Amino acid sequence: MSTYPFSAVVGMDDMRLALVLNAVSPAIGGLLVRGEKGTAKSTTVRALTAVLPEVAVVPGCRFSCDPAAPDPACPDGPHDASAPVAVRPARLVELPVGASEDRLVGSLDLERALTEGVKAYEPGLLAAAHRGVLYVDEVNLLHDHLVDLLLDAAALGTSYVEREGVSVRHAARFLLVGTMNPEEGELRPQLLDRFGLTVDASAPREPDVRAEVVRRRLAADDDPAAFAARWVDEEQALAERIARARGRLASVVLPDAALRQITTVCAAFDVDGLRADLVMARTALAHAAWSGRSEVDAEDVRVAARLALPHRRRRNPFDAPGLDEEQLDQALQDAADQGPDEPPDGPGAGAPDDSGQDDSAVDEGQSSADASAGAGAGAGAGAAPRPAPEAPPAPAATPFRARLLTVPGLGTGAAGRRSRARTDSGRVTASRIPAERVTRLHLPATLVAAAPHQLARGRAGRGLVMRGEDLRESVREGREGNLVLFCVDASGSMAARARMSAVKGAVLSLLLDAYQRRDKVGMVTFRGAEAQVALPPTSSVEAAAARLQALPTGGRTPLAAGLLRAADVLRVERMRDPSRRPLLVVVTDGRATGSAGSAPTAPVEQAQRAAALLAAAGVASVVVDCESGAVRLGLAVTLATALGGELLRLDEVAADSLASSVRARTATPSRKVA
Ligand SMILES: [Zn+2]
């Protein structure tokens, strides 16, 4: 199978440069590529290995030991220093997002360990990726426990597997490359920080460039071998240039002026810690080596800032990564203007020879402070676009910590932090006979299973006589992520501006909560004549928050249509992801009105029927009652009953509202009585 040649990729210049710089200097720490689908992100990553230098290995070692410096703790070692050397191409290993823990870190054969006393270890993907590339497509969808294992391995440069006291450790240093579509959800901040560089990949806009992409793709699909052959020389030249840059890297100098530019830029962009400064320095060094220079210059620093900083700025989860190029120019200019704090050659040596220029530099310094303050305010305003016609949508009230809403029962969905579920991790609740190879041994249950057979098996020595059939595995209970589908009433009855702000604030709080619990979210809204899917189920809470902010209100209340549309969405999602259990959150005052002229009771009955349909489908639901004012109809109670769901008042959505809500509930009937 021939991959698409790296040199033949059109556009994607930043991505290709970032990959090349990582190849020159693996210490940069990998690359995250963000971009929509269909931008050849994966094709470009997979093409990289063909231009990476070959790797010298100890023949027969499954852990890719370097013959020049074999891992002293290698499970296949110790290796003889005089052993022959094998050379193989660099390897790209793909980690599927749904991979098992054993697949990633390798598996220990507990059956052989217990019955034969043999430590039998089958290496996983981390071992295969050592000294190569570990690629995770849709890295933002990677399960939490795999993320943790990956972070540990990346931080330590080793992989460690332990099962019931039997353990194996081996070296695992790799170039980590992830690709993701941000519309499907953002990455956990810890994992985001682990990537040295990030780039945004988008399809080229220019028709000529697009035409060339298509032309090459057609040629490659038509005859892959012939297409690859056309690019052999370019691939060879690129591979040689990378190898030369790698050889030159150690001798490239980072002058103090360049280092000061790096630290000034990092300070200007308010990044956390010093990791950004380090990554920027390494990237600038690699770029200088790649450009054939022996010293880092301003252009190297600029490139490094563009690639290393966008994902390291302090921000809240709803801000998309990005770098303001004007602010970068300004910070670079500031660093150049400031000069060294203590000029080594005494005052005068670095003094500007033109006082007029000096003045303008001071002016620029002042205006840059104003400009950055202005830029901040501008960004804030830009985050909440306001359509000019009709009344502007009510802004969401400040979000708060939301109460945990859960799906009742015990699920089997993907790991998360919401409802109770059978999971790979979590606390042990029972034991069972394993269906496949044991990875989570339940030792007491295993011993109990073996004990009655000891006489029959002719036990004579000190150890128990174990058989494979004795093995029992642990059943564990943890938490799963769910699909939280909001069904939000945006009709006229809800349109009082202050109340809509409170409603949006509550929904936003629940969205933030869903983000932290690794749920999928979706939103159906209803107003006027119809219900619409404002947001199809996605892991992108940012998208949901944006839709919510812009949600207009007013008109009639087609509650039944909203519920039926929600039922449609849930039916489709059940087919797509059957193990992810949904939680329907209906945000409404319970009113239902139909089109003018229809019987006034009909809309209410329709809503009841729609609710009963959802209940019959087994959908877990919560009704958030938004009714307010002196006269209360209590319609939301009726709706919650028909749904077979829980009822919460709007002010009960907050996590710390429990005590007050109980008081309020007990107080209400007594007031009615009085
Ligand atoms: Zn080895």
Side-chain angles (χ1 to χ4, degrees):
M1 191 196 82
S2 65
T3 52
Y4 197 85
F6 192 77
S7 321
V9 176
V10 180
M12 319 285 281
D13 293 346
D14 274 356
M15 177 177 174
R16 288 200 300 162
L17 178 61
L19 284 171
V20 163
L21 294 180
N22 268 293
V24 171
S25 173
I28 289 172
L31 172 67
L32 174 67
V33 186
R34 300 158 47 87
E36 59 206 299
K37 279 195 199 314
T39 47
K41 300 187 293 282
S42 300
T43 305
T44 310
V45 176
R46 293 187 184 113
L48 177 69
T49 47
V51 294
L52 289 179
E54 293 184 315
V55 181
V57 293
V58 173
C61 171
R62 294 173 299 163
F63 301 88
S64 299
C65 276
D66 182 354
D71 180 2
C74 175
D76 281 355
H79 298 299
D80 194 348
S82 62
V85 174
V87 174
R88 63 158 174 78
R91 208 184 264 157
L92 177 125
V93 173
E94 289 201 37
L95 169 59
V97 289
S100 67
E101 182 177 338
D102 273 18
R103 181 93 195 280
L104 180 63
V105 300
S107 58
L108 277 163
D109 191 336
L110 284 174
E111 187 171 329
R112 288 193 68 195
L114 278 174
T115 58
E116 301 170 38
V118 177
K119 194 198 266 190
Y121 175 68
E122 190 66 39
L125 296 176
L126 286 178
H130 179 47
R131 304 175 70 205
V133 181
L134 183 68
Y135 174 43
V136 194
D137 189 16
E138 301 190 301
V139 64
N140 49 331
L141 307 183
L142 198 62
H143 287 181
D144 266 7
H145 68 284
L146 292 185
V147 169
D148 291 339
L149 293 167
L150 202 56
L151 289 175
D152 286 350
L156 299 171
T158 59
S159 174
Y160 178 73
V161 192
E162 193 264 309
R163 296 276 186 272
E164 321 297 336
V166 185
S167 67
V168 168
R169 181 187 297 278
H170 65 80
R173 285 184 305 278
F174 45 84
L175 169 54
L176 181 62
V177 180
T179 51
M180 61 177 272
N181 179 356
E183 285 172 11
E184 290 168 348
E186 283 299 339
L187 213 53
R188 256 167 78 185
Q190 301 95 304
L191 184 54
L192 190 61
D193 185 56
R194 183 52 59 185
F195 287 97
L197 310 179
T198 44
V199 295
D200 280 307
S202 53
R205 300 267 171 255
E206 305 79 4
D208 288 350
V209 182
R210 294 175 80 101
E212 187 58 26
V213 172
V214 173
R215 209 174 285 133
R216 289 187 188 179
R217 196 76 233 192
L218 288 175
D221 291 348
D222 193 37
D223 188 347
F227 186 75
R230 267 167 54 195
W231 291 91
V232 163
D233 291 348
E234 278 83 353
E235 293 283 278
Q236 182 65 29
L238 183 59
E240 283 167 10
R241 189 174 165 195
I242 289 173
R244 272 201 308 279
R246 216 185 245 195
R248 189 186 293 119
L249 181 65
S251 61
V252 177
V253 175
L254 179 67
D256 284 350
L259 178 56
R260 199 173 54 247
Q261 276 190 315
I262 288 169
T263 53
T264 306
V265 168
C266 286
F269 280 91
D270 195 22
V271 295
D272 286 320
L274 281 170
R275 203 174 143 77
D277 306 58
L278 275 169
V279 172
M280 246 186 94
R282 288 187 177 128
T283 309
L285 285 162
H287 190 258
W290 169 246
S291 311
R293 282 189 289 274
S294 54
E295 200 175 285
V296 170
D297 69 13
E299 177 57 18
D300 300 324
V301 173
R302 193 169 205 296
V303 169
R306 228 161 26 77
L307 299 176
L309 291 188
H311 58 305
R312 296 183 193 283
R313 309 191 53 195
R314 271 177 225 247
R315 59 187 189 277
N316 71 49
F318 293 157
D319 293 341
L323 199 65
D324 182 344
E325 297 256 347
E326 275 181 34
Q327 196 187 347
L328 173 59
D329 287 337
Q330 190 61 56
L332 288 169
Q333 184 64 44
D334 288 352
D337 292 345
Q338 278 162 17
D341 293 337
E342 292 175 14
D345 299 329
D353 47 10
D354 180 345
S355 62
Q357 210 169 20
D358 194 28
D359 285 345
S360 76
V362 171
D363 283 339
E364 269 174 23
Q366 284 170 343
S367 67
S368 91
D370 296 344
S372 62
R386 298 187 163 183
E390 62 180 35
T398 312
F400 45 79
R401 197 163 66 85
R403 159 197 299 251
L404 172 59
L405 307 175
T406 60
V407 178
L410 197 59
T412 54
R417 308 204 180 95
R418 187 171 295 278
S419 306
R420 288 176 55 209
R422 293 246 187 274
T423 51
D424 288 345
S425 52
R427 77 198 159 81
V428 177
T429 54
S431 67
R432 68 179 169 210
I433 297 172
E436 295 166 20
R437 185 143 67 142
V438 179
T439 57
R440 301 287 182 183
L441 188 77
H442 195 296
L443 189 58
T446 301
L447 293 178
V448 167
H453 307 297
Q454 295 303 303
L455 274 179
R457 288 175 189 172
R459 179 186 169 203
R462 282 150 45 133
L464 285 173
V465 182
M466 304 289 296
R467 300 261 171 85
E469 72 231 34
D470 300 334
L471 298 179
R472 297 291 181 272
E473 69 181 1
S474 302
V475 175
R476 285 162 188 266
E477 189 186 312
R479 294 207 176 257
E480 64 178 3
N482 297 110
L483 164 62
V484 182
L485 181 66
F486 292 92
C487 187
V488 181
D489 183 347
S491 69
S493 72
M494 301 277 292
R497 198 172 167 78
R499 193 145 54 95
M500 203 56 211
S501 281
V503 168
K504 284 185 176 183
V507 175
L508 194 60
S509 306
L510 290 167
L511 279 172
L512 264 168
D513 184 60
Y515 172 83
Q516 281 151 357
R517 297 184 189 282
R518 316 274 297 160
D519 295 311
K520 274 173 109 171
V521 293
M523 188 157 52
V524 169
T525 61
F526 53 95
R527 67 186 279 254
E530 54 167 21
Q532 51 177 227
V533 181
L535 185 77
T538 167
S539 302
S540 175
V541 171
E542 298 80 354
R547 300 286 160 84
L548 182 71
Q549 287 285 9
L551 182 66
T553 46
R556 296 186 166 272
T557 314
L559 175 58
L563 295 174
L564 289 173
R565 183 53 72 87
D568 277 348
V569 170
L570 294 179
R571 197 174 55 242
V572 171
E573 280 305 301
R574 198 158 41 234
M575 286 188 273
R576 197 173 281 161
D577 192 354
S579 65
R580 186 177 287 270
R581 296 188 299 157
L583 178 67
L584 177 66
V585 179
V586 186
V587 184
T588 178
D589 56 11
R591 278 174 225 249
T593 53
S595 53
S598 67
T601 54
V604 177
E605 281 165 14
Q606 283 164 3
Q608 294 279 327
R609 276 204 298 276
L613 195 90
L614 282 157
V619 174
S621 56
V622 176
V623 175
V624 177
D625 182 4
C626 302
E627 186 169 42
S628 67
V631 182
R632 300 201 179 189
L633 301 174
L635 290 169
V637 182
T638 318
L639 177 64
T641 308
L643 281 167
E646 206 181 325
L647 178 73
L648 278 181
R649 272 202 338 256
L650 188 57
D651 59 358
E652 290 173 325
V653 173
D656 47 9
S657 65
L658 188 61
S660 66
S661 76
V662 171
R663 268 202 307 278
R665 267 194 184 159
T666 48
T668 314
S670 61
R671 204 167 51 217
K672 273 184 186 162
V673 171

